[in-house]
mmCIF file of all heavy atoms in Angstrom:
data_model
loop_
_atom_site.group_PDB
_atom_site.id
_atom_site.type_symbol
_atom_site.label_atom_id
_atom_site.label_comp_id
_atom_site.label_asym_id
_atom_site.label_seq_id
_atom_site.Cartn_x
_atom_site.Cartn_y
_atom_site.Cartn_z
ATOM 1 N N GLY A 1 0.952 10.044 0.273
ATOM 2 C CA GLY A 1 1.998 10.602 -0.588
ATOM 3 C C GLY A 1 1.505 11.365 -1.808
ATOM 4 O O GLY A 1 2.294 11.901 -2.561
ATOM 5 N N LEU A 2 0.159 11.454 -1.979
ATOM 6 C CA LEU A 2 -0.355 12.149 -3.187
ATOM 7 C C LEU A 2 -1.426 13.202 -2.842
ATOM 8 O O LEU A 2 -1.293 14.333 -3.254
ATOM 9 C CB LEU A 2 -0.942 11.141 -4.152
ATOM 10 C CG LEU A 2 -1.657 11.759 -5.394
ATOM 11 C CD1 LEU A 2 -0.622 12.467 -6.252
ATOM 12 C CD2 LEU A 2 -2.364 10.701 -6.179
ATOM 13 N N ASP A 3 -2.472 12.793 -2.124
ATOM 14 C CA ASP A 3 -3.602 13.656 -1.932
ATOM 15 C C ASP A 3 -4.232 13.432 -0.570
ATOM 16 O O ASP A 3 -4.471 12.266 -0.179
ATOM 17 C CB ASP A 3 -4.658 13.388 -3.036
ATOM 18 C CG ASP A 3 -5.824 14.359 -2.953
ATOM 19 O OD1 ASP A 3 -5.639 15.540 -3.281
ATOM 20 O OD2 ASP A 3 -6.946 13.926 -2.560
ATOM 21 N N ARG A 4 -4.484 14.521 0.176
ATOM 22 C CA ARG A 4 -5.094 14.420 1.487
ATOM 23 C C ARG A 4 -6.084 15.553 1.624
ATOM 24 O O ARG A 4 -5.728 16.734 1.617
ATOM 25 C CB ARG A 4 -3.987 14.513 2.573
ATOM 26 C CG ARG A 4 -4.456 14.377 4.001
ATOM 27 C CD ARG A 4 -3.244 14.326 4.917
ATOM 28 N NE ARG A 4 -3.565 14.221 6.297
ATOM 29 C CZ ARG A 4 -3.686 15.268 7.117
ATOM 30 N NH1 ARG A 4 -3.440 16.473 6.700
ATOM 31 N NH2 ARG A 4 -4.016 15.084 8.404
ATOM 32 N N GLN A 5 -7.360 15.175 1.705
ATOM 33 C CA GLN A 5 -8.347 16.237 1.760
ATOM 34 C C GLN A 5 -9.648 15.780 2.434
ATOM 35 O O GLN A 5 -9.940 14.548 2.522
ATOM 36 C CB GLN A 5 -8.712 16.733 0.344
ATOM 37 C CG GLN A 5 -9.253 15.717 -0.588
ATOM 38 C CD GLN A 5 -9.691 16.311 -1.929
ATOM 39 O OE1 GLN A 5 -10.631 17.061 -2.001
ATOM 40 N NE2 GLN A 5 -8.966 15.969 -2.996
ATOM 41 N N ALA A 6 -10.376 16.751 2.980
ATOM 42 C CA ALA A 6 -11.660 16.451 3.633
ATOM 43 C C ALA A 6 -12.642 15.891 2.604
ATOM 44 O O ALA A 6 -12.775 16.395 1.499
ATOM 45 C CB ALA A 6 -12.237 17.723 4.262
ATOM 46 N N ASP A 7 -13.343 14.800 3.027
ATOM 47 C CA ASP A 7 -14.299 14.154 2.107
ATOM 48 C C ASP A 7 -15.183 13.219 2.896
ATOM 49 O O ASP A 7 -14.720 12.512 3.822
ATOM 50 C CB ASP A 7 -13.504 13.381 1.023
ATOM 51 C CG ASP A 7 -14.389 12.794 -0.013
ATOM 52 O OD1 ASP A 7 -14.736 13.476 -0.987
ATOM 53 O OD2 ASP A 7 -14.769 11.610 0.160
ATOM 54 N N GLY A 8 -16.478 13.166 2.502
ATOM 55 C CA GLY A 8 -17.393 12.320 3.187
ATOM 56 C C GLY A 8 -17.766 11.040 2.436
ATOM 57 O O GLY A 8 -18.537 10.219 2.958
ATOM 58 N N GLY A 9 -17.232 10.825 1.213
ATOM 59 C CA GLY A 9 -17.642 9.740 0.386
ATOM 60 C C GLY A 9 -16.894 8.455 0.599
ATOM 61 O O GLY A 9 -16.168 8.298 1.578
ATOM 62 N N THR A 10 -17.075 7.497 -0.320
ATOM 63 C CA THR A 10 -16.475 6.166 -0.176
ATOM 64 C C THR A 10 -15.399 5.961 -1.198
ATOM 65 O O THR A 10 -15.479 6.452 -2.341
ATOM 66 C CB THR A 10 -17.541 5.071 -0.321
ATOM 67 O OG1 THR A 10 -18.188 5.147 -1.611
ATOM 68 C CG2 THR A 10 -18.652 5.212 0.761
ATOM 69 N N HIS A 11 -14.343 5.221 -0.810
ATOM 70 C CA HIS A 11 -13.137 5.046 -1.610
ATOM 71 C C HIS A 11 -12.594 3.639 -1.470
ATOM 72 O O HIS A 11 -12.873 2.939 -0.474
ATOM 73 C CB HIS A 11 -12.076 6.053 -1.173
ATOM 74 C CG HIS A 11 -12.496 7.492 -1.374
ATOM 75 N ND1 HIS A 11 -12.191 8.208 -2.509
ATOM 76 C CD2 HIS A 11 -13.197 8.315 -0.567
ATOM 77 C CE1 HIS A 11 -12.715 9.439 -2.393
ATOM 78 N NE2 HIS A 11 -13.314 9.505 -1.223
ATOM 79 N N VAL A 12 -11.800 3.248 -2.444
ATOM 80 C CA VAL A 12 -11.124 1.970 -2.364
ATOM 81 C C VAL A 12 -9.884 2.067 -1.455
ATOM 82 O O VAL A 12 -9.540 3.215 -1.035
ATOM 83 C CB VAL A 12 -10.701 1.478 -3.777
ATOM 84 C CG1 VAL A 12 -11.958 1.145 -4.603
ATOM 85 C CG2 VAL A 12 -9.850 2.507 -4.516
ATOM 86 N N ALA A 13 -9.252 0.973 -1.152
ATOM 87 C CA ALA A 13 -8.182 0.938 -0.143
ATOM 88 C C ALA A 13 -6.781 1.123 -0.744
ATOM 89 O O ALA A 13 -5.838 1.378 -0.038
ATOM 90 C CB ALA A 13 -8.206 -0.357 0.655
ATOM 91 N N SER A 14 -6.687 0.988 -2.095
ATOM 92 C CA SER A 14 -5.392 1.212 -2.751
ATOM 93 C C SER A 14 -5.648 1.739 -4.156
ATOM 94 O O SER A 14 -6.685 1.424 -4.793
ATOM 95 C CB SER A 14 -4.628 -0.149 -2.860
ATOM 96 O OG SER A 14 -3.548 -0.036 -3.750
ATOM 97 N N THR A 15 -4.747 2.584 -4.635
ATOM 98 C CA THR A 15 -4.932 3.134 -5.978
ATOM 99 C C THR A 15 -4.999 2.091 -7.049
ATOM 100 O O THR A 15 -5.727 2.277 -8.067
ATOM 101 C CB THR A 15 -3.815 4.150 -6.298
ATOM 102 O OG1 THR A 15 -2.548 3.491 -6.171
ATOM 103 C CG2 THR A 15 -3.849 5.348 -5.365
ATOM 104 N N THR A 16 -4.361 0.924 -6.851
ATOM 105 C CA THR A 16 -4.390 -0.079 -7.904
ATOM 106 C C THR A 16 -5.804 -0.625 -8.120
ATOM 107 O O THR A 16 -6.124 -1.118 -9.202
ATOM 108 C CB THR A 16 -3.465 -1.252 -7.521
ATOM 109 O OG1 THR A 16 -3.818 -1.802 -6.258
ATOM 110 C CG2 THR A 16 -1.999 -0.862 -7.534
ATOM 111 N N GLU A 17 -6.654 -0.528 -7.076
ATOM 112 C CA GLU A 17 -8.015 -1.055 -7.202
ATOM 113 C C GLU A 17 -8.854 -0.182 -8.149
ATOM 114 O O GLU A 17 -9.888 -0.649 -8.655
ATOM 115 C CB GLU A 17 -8.659 -1.086 -5.819
ATOM 116 C CG GLU A 17 -9.820 -2.030 -5.721
ATOM 117 C CD GLU A 17 -10.299 -2.200 -4.251
ATOM 118 O OE1 GLU A 17 -9.465 -2.044 -3.371
ATOM 119 O OE2 GLU A 17 -11.492 -2.519 -4.080
ATOM 120 N N VAL A 18 -8.415 1.040 -8.424
ATOM 121 C CA VAL A 18 -9.118 1.877 -9.405
ATOM 122 C C VAL A 18 -9.130 1.204 -10.804
ATOM 123 O O VAL A 18 -10.112 1.265 -11.500
ATOM 124 C CB VAL A 18 -8.483 3.260 -9.461
ATOM 125 C CG1 VAL A 18 -9.065 4.091 -10.647
ATOM 126 C CG2 VAL A 18 -8.660 4.003 -8.172
ATOM 127 N N GLY A 19 -7.988 0.546 -11.106
ATOM 128 C CA GLY A 19 -7.886 -0.093 -12.443
ATOM 129 C C GLY A 19 -7.062 0.781 -13.347
ATOM 130 O O GLY A 19 -5.846 0.694 -13.372
ATOM 131 N N ALA A 20 -7.732 1.627 -14.091
ATOM 132 C CA ALA A 20 -7.029 2.566 -15.008
ATOM 133 C C ALA A 20 -8.011 3.716 -15.298
ATOM 134 O O ALA A 20 -9.226 3.536 -15.097
ATOM 135 C CB ALA A 20 -6.572 1.908 -16.290
ATOM 136 N N VAL A 21 -7.492 4.846 -15.705
ATOM 137 C CA VAL A 21 -8.320 6.030 -15.955
ATOM 138 C C VAL A 21 -8.064 6.518 -17.354
ATOM 139 O O VAL A 21 -6.912 6.587 -17.818
ATOM 140 C CB VAL A 21 -8.044 7.137 -14.914
ATOM 141 C CG1 VAL A 21 -8.734 8.434 -15.290
ATOM 142 C CG2 VAL A 21 -8.458 6.684 -13.535
ATOM 143 N N GLU A 22 -9.132 6.961 -18.029
ATOM 144 C CA GLU A 22 -8.997 7.599 -19.307
ATOM 145 C C GLU A 22 -9.598 8.992 -19.210
ATOM 146 O O GLU A 22 -10.697 9.178 -18.687
ATOM 147 C CB GLU A 22 -9.773 6.822 -20.382
ATOM 148 C CG GLU A 22 -9.797 7.456 -21.747
ATOM 149 C CD GLU A 22 -10.679 6.717 -22.720
ATOM 150 O OE1 GLU A 22 -11.217 5.637 -22.417
ATOM 151 O OE2 GLU A 22 -10.856 7.230 -23.866
ATOM 152 N N VAL A 23 -8.864 10.015 -19.710
ATOM 153 C CA VAL A 23 -9.442 11.336 -19.782
ATOM 154 C C VAL A 23 -10.269 11.382 -21.086
ATOM 155 O O VAL A 23 -9.705 11.246 -22.174
ATOM 156 C CB VAL A 23 -8.327 12.431 -19.801
ATOM 157 C CG1 VAL A 23 -8.917 13.823 -20.121
ATOM 158 C CG2 VAL A 23 -7.647 12.474 -18.463
ATOM 159 N N THR A 24 -11.582 11.503 -20.935
ATOM 160 C CA THR A 24 -12.502 11.427 -22.095
ATOM 161 C C THR A 24 -12.830 12.782 -22.668
ATOM 162 O O THR A 24 -13.473 12.862 -23.734
ATOM 163 C CB THR A 24 -13.741 10.680 -21.666
ATOM 164 O OG1 THR A 24 -14.385 11.388 -20.612
ATOM 165 C CG2 THR A 24 -13.455 9.279 -21.259
ATOM 166 N N GLY A 25 -12.462 13.851 -21.979
ATOM 167 C CA GLY A 25 -12.769 15.189 -22.513
ATOM 168 C C GLY A 25 -12.185 16.283 -21.695
ATOM 169 O O GLY A 25 -11.984 16.122 -20.472
ATOM 170 N N THR A 26 -11.852 17.375 -22.341
ATOM 171 C CA THR A 26 -11.389 18.613 -21.671
ATOM 172 C C THR A 26 -12.138 19.790 -22.262
ATOM 173 O O THR A 26 -12.289 19.849 -23.473
ATOM 174 C CB THR A 26 -9.869 18.810 -21.838
ATOM 175 O OG1 THR A 26 -9.544 18.800 -23.225
ATOM 176 C CG2 THR A 26 -9.078 17.688 -21.114
ATOM 177 N N GLU A 27 -12.596 20.684 -21.403
ATOM 178 C CA GLU A 27 -13.421 21.787 -21.854
ATOM 179 C C GLU A 27 -13.061 23.055 -21.123
ATOM 180 O O GLU A 27 -12.674 23.013 -19.962
ATOM 181 C CB GLU A 27 -14.918 21.490 -21.645
ATOM 182 C CG GLU A 27 -15.442 20.170 -22.194
ATOM 183 C CD GLU A 27 -16.815 19.843 -21.674
ATOM 184 O OE1 GLU A 27 -17.670 20.793 -21.571
ATOM 185 O OE2 GLU A 27 -17.054 18.655 -21.365
ATOM 186 N N SER A 28 -13.310 24.163 -21.753
ATOM 187 C CA SER A 28 -13.222 25.458 -21.109
ATOM 188 C C SER A 28 -14.635 25.909 -20.780
ATOM 189 O O SER A 28 -15.494 26.032 -21.641
ATOM 190 C CB SER A 28 -12.548 26.484 -22.009
ATOM 191 O OG SER A 28 -12.559 27.791 -21.356
ATOM 192 N N LYS A 29 -14.934 26.099 -19.493
ATOM 193 C CA LYS A 29 -16.266 26.547 -19.045
ATOM 194 C C LYS A 29 -16.270 27.974 -18.628
ATOM 195 O O LYS A 29 -17.192 28.431 -17.952
ATOM 196 C CB LYS A 29 -16.731 25.630 -17.902
ATOM 197 C CG LYS A 29 -16.700 24.156 -18.217
ATOM 198 C CD LYS A 29 -17.547 23.795 -19.390
ATOM 199 C CE LYS A 29 -19.045 23.902 -19.092
ATOM 200 N NZ LYS A 29 -19.877 23.414 -20.234
ATOM 201 N N GLY A 30 -15.226 28.719 -18.972
ATOM 202 C CA GLY A 30 -15.141 30.130 -18.611
ATOM 203 C C GLY A 30 -13.683 30.566 -18.559
ATOM 204 O O GLY A 30 -12.745 29.746 -18.741
#
């Protein structure tokens, strides 16, 4: 229901397992 994309890496089984997220910075690179 949120994101579906090609990827070869490893992931948890539910979003709750992430814990919480903090945005620590935003930058303009161009």
Side-chain angles (χ1 to χ4, degrees):
L2 175 66
D3 184 71
R4 183 172 179 265
Q5 60 175 292
D7 184 86
T10 60
H11 298 267
V12 293
S14 168
T15 56
T16 56
E17 201 171 334
V18 171
V21 172
E22 177 185 353
V23 172
T24 59
T26 55
E27 306 168 41
S28 177
K29 305 301 289 186

